[in-house]
Amino acid sequence: MIIERENPARFAEIVGAVPSTPPDRVDEIVRRADAEQRSWAARPLTDRLATLTRAAAAIEDAIEELAPLLARESGKVVGDCRGELGFAVRYLRWVVQHAPGVYGDRELDDDLGRLVERRRPFGVVAAVTPWNAPIILAMLKIAPALAAGNAVVVKPSPLAPLTIDRVIALFAAPIHAVHGGAETGAALVGHELVRKVAFTGGTDGGRAVAALAGDRLTPTVMELGGNDPAVLLDDASFDDDAMDRLVMASFATSGQVCMAAKRLYVPQSRLGEFADAYRSAAGRVLTTGDPLAAGVTMGPVISAAAQRAAVALIPPGAVPLGRFDADPSTGYFVRPALVIAPDPDAPLVTREQFAPVVPVLGYPDEKTVLTWANAGELGLGASVWSADEERAFTFARWFEAGFTFVNTHNRTGMSLRAPFGGVKRSGWGREYAHEGLTEYVQTCVIHAPAAFRPGAATAPAGPSAYPTG
């Protein structure tokens, strides 16, 4: 069997295909990765990092070839695809730079004894990745896992398998891909030789993956969905630059981003002013159309089901946004919309939309808006907007979110040095920063207490004594 991928901007066009991986083939690939991992982990860290450096150069050289392919299979505009591939290269090089300081052994030899802490790989890491940012979200797992000495088996989404398949082939390292749906994913995540699972995706998929991994007692990193609030305080600027950022924070990748700004909260007294400024910004920065066309900043949603779900969220009276140069009858296009003052209990507000439609609600005071912002079971990202940075940071400390942006939101607020991940039911574990590197190693200890070392100055304590330091 093969998996064919249609172009969501022209669904009559088949972009390409990959072979589907049956469960017995998954077993063969995992066992091969397990065998390869031992020799890979035995290589010096400097050798492994040199291999990753060469892979980064190869990906960089292929960006102009890969970006249109990614645009055609995912519906993301081609400029964003170039940006994603370039960012993946930047992250890979960041890992090469920072891995020696994280993965090296740590040794202490003092009055308390001799202690060695070793950073050891898990073995085979299963990376289960989504379609909306298939290259960078895979690289966040591939780069640190390989650097640490693990082997990696990637299961991409069948909605965007083509470009990541090409990227994986550029690594001269123990990394493999398996393709398919839930059955293939279950065979990988539940395999007895998989020692760590890294998953990015929706909450429902996360539950299934966590249950399978839990049955094997396999540790996981889970980056799940979000329903990110953006709170504009009463002194927030609605100038062009701020509004342009906020519009794209909601509508980049057609709103299909876990950390998109999905609920907008503004002071009730400024609701009309905000709506006007937001609509003007959308007119400047938002053009919906063919992802390969010049000037287009938003493409289609990923599938017919996503198109139906998005249209169902848009009520009568919603404000259409930006320029719309697309035909919904030949591609999965949805005109972006702003919904002003919806029912606070409407699904558009209480659930993750993952669509190009966003609500804005007026709030009476900061205590109330904080309650609204923290409502629900998700806690991935949030943002606060204010002319006073100290005030913004003070307010941000009360968010129930893993990552809070100040005066921006979504990818413009990310940093390679800042750990990213959710709280509540938006997942656990972290990506980026040193925390993202340590997810792929286990700390193993060798310890000789001072009292039991040759020539110890003091007599050892009793045979069941507690440690003194």
Side-chain angles (χ1 to χ4, degrees):
M1 288 183 59
I2 62 170
I3 299 169
E4 291 187 330
R5 180 60 195 141
E6 65 184 2
N7 183 340
R10 293 184 295 275
F11 49 68
E13 174 193 328
I14 299 300
V15 180
V18 293
S20 181
T21 312
D24 60 343
R25 181 89 174 98
V26 173
D27 176 68
E28 176 189 336
I29 290 169
V30 172
R31 291 185 184 280
R32 185 194 312 165
D34 180 64
E36 294 169 344
Q37 185 269 332
R38 287 163 172 74
S39 58
W40 175 252
R43 293 173 61 178
L45 175 60
T46 52
D47 285 2
R48 297 198 301 268
L49 297 182
T51 299
L52 299 191
T53 297
R54 289 190 290 272
I59 297 168
E60 186 172 50
D61 289 344
I63 286 177
E64 289 306 312
E65 176 187 353
L66 294 175
L69 176 63
L70 181 55
R72 290 171 61 220
E73 69 170 324
S74 69
K76 292 174 59 164
V77 298
V78 70
D80 284 354
C81 294
R82 289 191 192 96
E84 179 180 340
L85 286 156
F87 188 53
V89 169
R90 194 174 311 124
Y91 178 70
L92 184 48
R93 288 173 172 155
W94 185 92
V95 169
V96 169
Q97 177 186 357
H98 289 267
V102 176
Y103 293 154
D105 292 350
R106 174 174 175 261
E107 184 165 354
L108 295 174
D109 194 339
D110 56 21
D111 292 344
L112 296 177
R114 185 178 178 187
L115 172 67
V116 175
E117 295 180 6
R118 305 198 67 201
R119 308 290 185 249
R120 305 297 299 155
F122 283 88
V124 176
V125 172
V128 183
T129 58
W131 52 263
N132 59 338
I135 309 305
I136 184 58
L137 293 177
M139 196 61 65
L140 290 171
K141 301 156 183 58
I142 292 168
L146 289 177
N150 300 283
V152 183
V153 181
V154 182
K155 189 214 155 300
S157 167
L159 295 175
L162 305 176
T163 313
I164 187 60
D165 218 36
R166 297 272 297 275
V167 167
I168 287 170
L170 298 174
F171 283 82
I175 178 172
H176 304 273
V178 298
H179 295 286
E183 187 180 41
T184 301
L188 176 61
V189 170
H191 198 284
E192 62 182 346
L193 293 179
V194 166
R195 303 302 187 193
K196 180 107 187 205
V197 175
F199 175 82
T200 300
T203 304
D204 290 342
R207 287 191 178 96
V209 168
L212 276 168
D215 189 59
R216 286 278 186 192
L217 296 179
T218 304
T220 57
V221 179
M222 307 288 281
E223 199 268 270
L224 306 178
N227 190 15
D228 289 18
V231 176
L232 290 89
L233 300 184
D234 57 18
D235 65 344
S237 172
F238 297 168
D239 65 28
D240 290 356
D241 287 345
M243 290 296 98
D244 291 357
R245 285 198 306 279
L246 185 53
V247 167
M248 292 312 299
S250 291
F251 294 108
T253 316
S254 304
Q256 302 166 118
V257 178
C258 59
M259 59 179 178
K262 297 189 176 78
R263 297 176 284 154
L264 313 180
Y265 294 104
V266 301
Q268 184 67 51
S269 62
R270 301 187 70 190
L271 185 57
E273 176 193 356
F274 173 84
D276 290 342
Y278 194 86
R279 186 174 185 178
S280 295
R284 290 189 298 272
V285 302
L286 209 53
T287 298
T288 305
D290 187 327
L292 295 174
V296 168
T297 57
M298 197 187 97
V301 294
I302 192 66
S303 66
Q307 185 186 48
R308 289 192 297 270
V311 170
L313 284 171
I314 302 174
V319 178
L321 297 173
R323 180 175 174 180
F324 193 71
D325 293 336
D327 184 352
S329 68
T330 59
Y332 302 127
F333 293 99
V334 178
R335 182 158 192 176
L338 177 69
V339 180
I340 301 172
D343 182 339
D345 295 322
L348 177 64
V349 179
T350 61
R351 301 178 189 171
E352 181 180 29
Q353 313 101 11
F354 226 64
V357 52
V358 65
V360 57
L361 298 93
Y363 66 85
D365 55 69
E366 289 185 13
K367 182 178 180 180
T368 300
V369 74
L370 191 62
T371 300
W372 291 352
N374 287 337
E377 63 178 8
L378 301 180
L380 187 60
S383 64
V384 58
W385 302 65
S386 172
D388 183 339
E389 184 178 282
E390 191 60 38
R391 183 184 177 195
F393 269 75
T394 298
F395 187 89
R397 294 177 192 278
W398 295 99
F399 276 131
E400 294 172 2
F403 198 109
T404 297
F405 306 92
V406 173
N407 289 328
T408 194
H409 203 123
N410 207 332
R411 67 185 181 218
T412 57
M414 300 294 291
S415 170
L416 293 175
R417 70 178 186 174
F420 183 84
V423 299
K424 298 196 287 190
R425 287 189 170 85
S426 284
W428 52 83
R430 292 295 180 264
E431 295 186 315
Y432 296 100
H434 287 186
E435 288 85 344
L437 301 184
T438 59
E439 293 286 358
Y440 295 93
V441 288
Q442 305 170 92
T443 299
C444 300
V445 168
I446 306 169
H447 184 222
F452 308 115
R453 300 181 71 185
T458 58
S464 62
Y466 285 95
T468 59

